[in-house]
Amino acid sequence: METGKGYLIIIGGAEDKHGESIILKEALKMLSYEDKLTILTTAAENPESVGREYQNVFNRLGLQNVQVLNISTRDEANDPRMCSLLRSSKCIFLTGGDQLRITSILGGTMAYKELKALYSSGGLIMGTSAGASAMSSTMIVEGNDNEPARKCTLKMAPGLGLLDGSIIDQHFDQRGRFSRLLCGVAENPDVLGIGIDEDTAIKVYPDMHFEVVGNNAVTIFDGHTIKSSNISELEQNEIIAITGITVHTLPQNYGFDINARKVIRLKKTKD
């Protein structure tokens, strides 16, 4: 996997917005007072209220240079004025909603190029829920929760490709998505499956290691170690058999080296 130049904070959804907000506070650690944070509400069905809520949260946490940008059509995503607003940002925050809206509206546009340019120039991209799923190279669009892993029950599509070679799933434990991510990795053993619980995030550094932030856990599926799978032999909806897959479950104070595919034990820091 290529080394990036910027930072990603990928949130499993339902992050704390009104208490300590330890995940959203990560933005404060990485932005100066002058730096602009742009809330991009493309995924949201109700962009005005979602944008206003996050703007109020970031203002409360101490960031004052916060703007809300609703790009809802491909024409807007190619609008020079919209792109200029993205270009002036040090951080872009992708809200939740529908990840297919993010990729189908932004994909291949000038706005997408600005997003990639921000990341490659050392900027920060944050995303929660749908905004988290869209960051991977292959994203889950639809799948069954709380069911065994079955063939062809998972719908996937290309993501934004900010975190290459991965599939990200969100609301992971809370919505019973273990089997659906397992199915995704069985179908694509070369990718890394990353399931992020609610109120939990991974902070991805330019050297492609990440740290877990938040109150729950991150589950990792490494398909490189799969010894056998019957997925190519099955009819649709039959249950998949997989042997030898490696699974890690990591809370805060742990991390993961994506390139080396190794767990990292972090030193605890005092508040």
Side-chain angles (χ1 to χ4, degrees):
M1 185 179 294
E2 294 183 1
T3 299
K5 294 183 179 179
Y7 295 81
L8 303 172
I9 296 178
I10 307 176
I11 309 166
E15 69 281 357
D16 175 19
K17 302 180 187 67
H18 307 292
E20 294 185 15
S21 304
I22 60 173
I23 295 172
L24 298 180
K25 278 183 180 176
E26 289 292 322
L28 276 70
K29 299 177 182 179
M30 306 180 68
L31 300 175
S32 69
Y33 183 80
E34 297 83 12
D35 289 333
K36 181 182 290 183
L37 184 152
T38 296
I39 299 163
L40 190 58
T41 58
T42 300
E45 293 182 1
N46 48 343
E48 292 81 9
S49 61
V50 169
R52 185 166 54 250
E53 179 184 27
Y54 276 106
Q55 186 172 37
N56 291 338
V57 170
F58 282 117
N59 287 165
R60 175 182 67 82
L61 294 176
L63 289 175
Q64 299 306 312
N65 195 3
V66 180
Q67 68 178 358
V68 178
L69 191 60
N70 180 34
I71 296 177
S72 59
T73 67
R74 290 184 63 81
D75 283 342
E76 290 176 343
N78 282 307
D79 186 328
R81 185 184 67 85
M82 292 286 194
C83 294
S84 177
L85 292 172
L86 288 176
R87 196 177 307 122
S88 67
S89 307
K90 185 67 175 179
C91 172
I92 295 175
F93 183 92
L94 303 171
T95 69
D98 181 350
Q99 53 264 43
L100 200 54
R101 281 183 56 82
I102 297 175
T103 56
S104 64
I105 291 172
L106 299 183
T109 66
M110 295 302 297
Y112 174 68
K113 292 178 180 178
E114 294 295 344
L115 190 74
K116 295 275 282 190
L118 172 64
Y119 178 51
S120 63
S121 64
L124 170 62
I125 309 293
M126 304 177 70
T128 184
S129 192
S133 286
M135 288 199 193
S136 55
S137 52
T138 303
M139 68 177 187
I140 295 175
V141 175
E142 185 179 331
N144 297 331
D145 298 344
N146 291 304
E147 284 195 9
R150 299 176 186 272
K151 183 177 180 179
C152 298
T153 56
L154 195 64
K155 294 182 180 179
M156 292 186 286
L160 296 174
L162 297 174
L163 189 62
D164 194 24
S166 66
I167 301 174
I168 296 166
D169 209 351
Q170 20 77 12
H171 302 280
F172 189 68
D173 182 66
Q174 290 75 18
R175 297 188 184 177
R177 291 179 167 173
F178 187 99
S179 292
R180 83 175 200 174
L181 185 56
L182 183 67
C183 183
V185 175
E187 293 178 0
N188 302 271
D190 190 47
V191 302
L192 197 70
I194 305 174
I196 308 174
D197 289 352
E198 293 180 355
D199 197 27
T200 308
I202 60 172
K203 182 178 181 180
V204 184
Y205 288 76
D207 66 356
M208 291 293 106
H209 89 275
F210 68 72
E211 299 175 357
V212 179
V213 181
N215 292 311
N216 291 303
V218 172
T219 302
I220 299 166
F221 295 92
D222 185 353
H224 280 187
T225 62
I226 291 176
K227 292 183 178 180
S228 66
S229 167
N230 69 345
I231 194 164
S232 63
E233 306 164 14
L234 300 179
E235 300 293 334
Q236 186 169 339
N237 291 321
E238 289 187 312
I239 295 176
I240 297 167
I242 306 169
T243 66
I245 191 168
T246 300
V247 181
H248 308 286
T249 300
L250 307 176
Q252 190 161 273
N253 297 316
Y254 282 81
F256 194 79
D257 185 325
I258 295 173
N259 287 329
R261 300 207 172 203
K262 291 184 177 180
V263 174
I264 303 168
R265 182 73 182 267
L266 305 172
K267 293 182 179 179
K268 292 184 179 182
T269 57
K270 294 182 179 179
D271 295 332

